[in-house]
Amino acid sequence: MPRPMIHILNGPNLNMLGQREPEIYGHETLQDIAAACEALGMQLGLEVALRQSNHEGEIVEMIQAARGVAAGIIINPAAYSHSSIAILDALHLFEGPVIEVHLSNIHRREAFRHHSFVSARADAVIAGCGAEGYALALRRLATLLRPAGSTQGRKT
Ligand code: DQA
C-alpha cells in the first residue's frame, strides 16, 4: 500500500536556517529538518516531501498542487503567516488536515508576530518547539490520518 504523502511547506528565509538568528531559530538547517522528517515518516508510514520558497505566489501554487496528491500539509509560512490572505485562501482549497508550525514562540515575540492568518485554517498550531515542532506535527498527522479503529503505529 502506498504511504500517505505529507507536504511540508516552508516560507521565506527558512532556507537560511542554521545561519539565520540561531539564538531564535536554532542551529539545524532545513536539510537537517527534511532528513529527520523523512526518517520519522518512514517509522510512521508516511511519505514526506519538504519544499521551501521565498515567494508568496509560489507557496500558493505549492498548496494548490498538493490538492489530490498530499494527504496532509505541514506549513511554516514564516513572515507570510502575519500578512498573507492568499496563503490562507489556498489552504481553504485543500481538503486534508493542515498543521501550522513555527520554530519560535511567536506569542512571546514582537506584537506583529502574534497574529497568523493561517491559523484560521490550521487544524493545529505548534510554536516554540524549534525543529522538533515539525516532528510533532508529523506525529499528529499520523494520528489524524490513521484509519478509524486501526491500532497501527500505537505504542501499546
Ligand atoms: C517563524 C516566525 C515568523 O514570525 C518569522 O517571520 C519566520 C519564522 C518561525 O518559524 O518561528 O520567518 O515562522
Side-chain angles (χ1 to χ4, degrees):
M1 263 228 310
R3 293 180 286 156
M5 168 65 85
I6 306 301
H7 284 186
I8 306 181
L9 307 180
N10 293 277
N13 299 306
L14 293 173
N15 55 318
M16 302 305 286
L17 283 182
Q19 298 173 54
R20 178 188 180 201
E21 299 177 277
E23 65 289 355
I24 297 176
Y25 298 115
H27 292 276
E28 275 158 298
T29 65
L30 201 56
Q31 288 70 29
D32 295 333
I33 291 172
C37 286
E38 275 160 33
L40 180 61
M42 287 287 271
Q43 283 177 40
L44 297 171
L46 299 171
E47 198 169 330
V48 170
L50 185 143
R51 307 203 166 111
Q52 188 275 335
S53 174
N54 293 320
H55 304 278
E56 184 177 15
E58 264 178 30
I59 298 167
V60 167
E61 284 167 6
M62 286 176 187
I63 298 166
Q64 290 177 0
R67 296 181 75 219
V69 176
I73 288 179
I74 296 169
I75 184 164
N76 183 349
Y80 289 138
S81 316
H82 318 302
S83 66
S84 180
I85 296 167
I87 290 176
L88 171 64
D89 284 351
L91 286 169
H92 276 307
L93 273 163
F94 181 72
E95 47 289 287
V98 173
I99 305 202
E100 178 181 354
V101 170
H102 299 282
L103 294 143
S104 64
N105 179 359
I106 53 174
H107 302 288
R108 210 167 72 172
R109 301 182 62 195
E110 304 95 317
F112 63 82
R113 296 186 202 275
H114 294 179
H115 178 260
S116 164
F117 284 98
V118 170
S119 300
R121 165 62 181 91
D123 295 285
V125 182
I126 298 169
C129 298
E132 196 185 342
Y134 289 85
L136 296 170
L138 213 45
R139 287 187 189 281
R140 179 63 185 157
L141 282 182
T143 303
L144 292 176
L145 296 171
R146 193 180 290 146
S150 158
T151 53
Q152 202 192 346
R154 252 179 230 161
K155 286 231 167 89
T156 48

